[in-house]
Amino acid sequence: MGKWLLCMALLLALLGCSKKADLTGEQPPKTSVQIGNHKYPTTLGSYCWSANGQGRCVDAVGPAELLKDKKPILVHAKDEIALVMDYEPKPNMFQVMQTNEAGQREVPLKDNRFAAPVQKGTYYYSYSVSWMDERVAHLSHGSAVYYFVLQVQ
């Protein structure tokens, strides 16, 4: 994770020669999981954020440690899970990874939504997002990883 932060810090230093996203705040925006009419907070993990002329990177502990005291969100098989971020601009790159006792896999998203697993059990998720530059390839103005746990009944 240390090399990742160094790379992100170098990328943040290059912001002067790129088309900057208009990011605000001292850290990435809050993100929630929505199931039906209910919203549940996610846990912010590691991030790099550049707003208001300031950039910083924070390296958090891993998801197991961050989520150890969190109660899983109870869902039913195939429930629609929406990832909600009330913030503009929206990230333009994202990825969801699911981890359980069977291993890890990428979860395809459509309109920031995916279906809960069919099999009963506890599933850990990481939602990685980035605000990538529109002109300079591989230049990120901000990135964050959010974590949450689902329990399929």
Side-chain angles (χ1 to χ4, degrees):
M1 201 62 149
K3 286 183 182 180
W4 177 82
L5 287 176
L6 178 59
C7 289
M8 291 305 296
L10 290 172
L11 289 176
L12 289 171
L14 296 172
L15 291 177
C17 59
S18 64
K19 184 167 188 244
K20 294 174 88 171
D22 293 326
L23 303 179
T24 59
E26 293 184 15
Q27 66 182 34
K30 293 185 184 297
T31 298
S32 58
V33 173
Q34 183 169 342
I35 303 160
N37 292 326
H38 301 286
K39 283 187 178 180
Y40 305 89
T42 61
T43 299
L44 179 61
S46 296
Y47 66 88
C48 284
W49 195 246
S50 178
N52 308 320
Q54 300 291 319
R56 75 180 195 158
C57 293
V58 174
D59 195 8
V61 296
E65 185 68 20
L66 282 173
L67 297 173
K68 72 179 183 182
D69 297 327
K70 303 286 183 187
K71 290 185 179 180
I73 302 166
L74 301 178
V75 298
H76 295 95
K78 298 186 182 180
D79 274 354
E80 182 179 81
I81 312 300
L83 299 165
V84 179
M85 182 182 293
D86 295 324
Y87 182 82
E88 290 295 333
K90 299 283 189 223
N92 53 7
M93 287 187 65
F94 44 85
Q95 178 185 48
V96 173
M97 296 299 291
Q98 174 193 81
T99 305
N100 68 351
E101 67 276 349
Q104 187 176 53
R105 72 176 192 89
E106 185 171 354
V107 176
L109 286 178
K110 184 173 183 178
D111 298 323
N112 276 347
R113 299 172 188 277
F114 66 95
V118 175
Q119 299 291 323
K120 290 182 179 184
T122 302
Y123 298 83
Y124 295 84
Y125 291 87
S126 64
Y127 178 48
S128 302
V129 299
S130 294
W131 287 261
M132 302 302 292
D133 192 85
E134 294 176 12
R135 295 183 184 155
V136 180
H138 310 295
L139 176 58
S140 173
H141 297 284
S143 62
V145 181
Y146 301 90
Y147 299 107
F148 58 97
V149 182
L150 299 180
Q151 174 132 20
V152 179
Q153 302 177 354

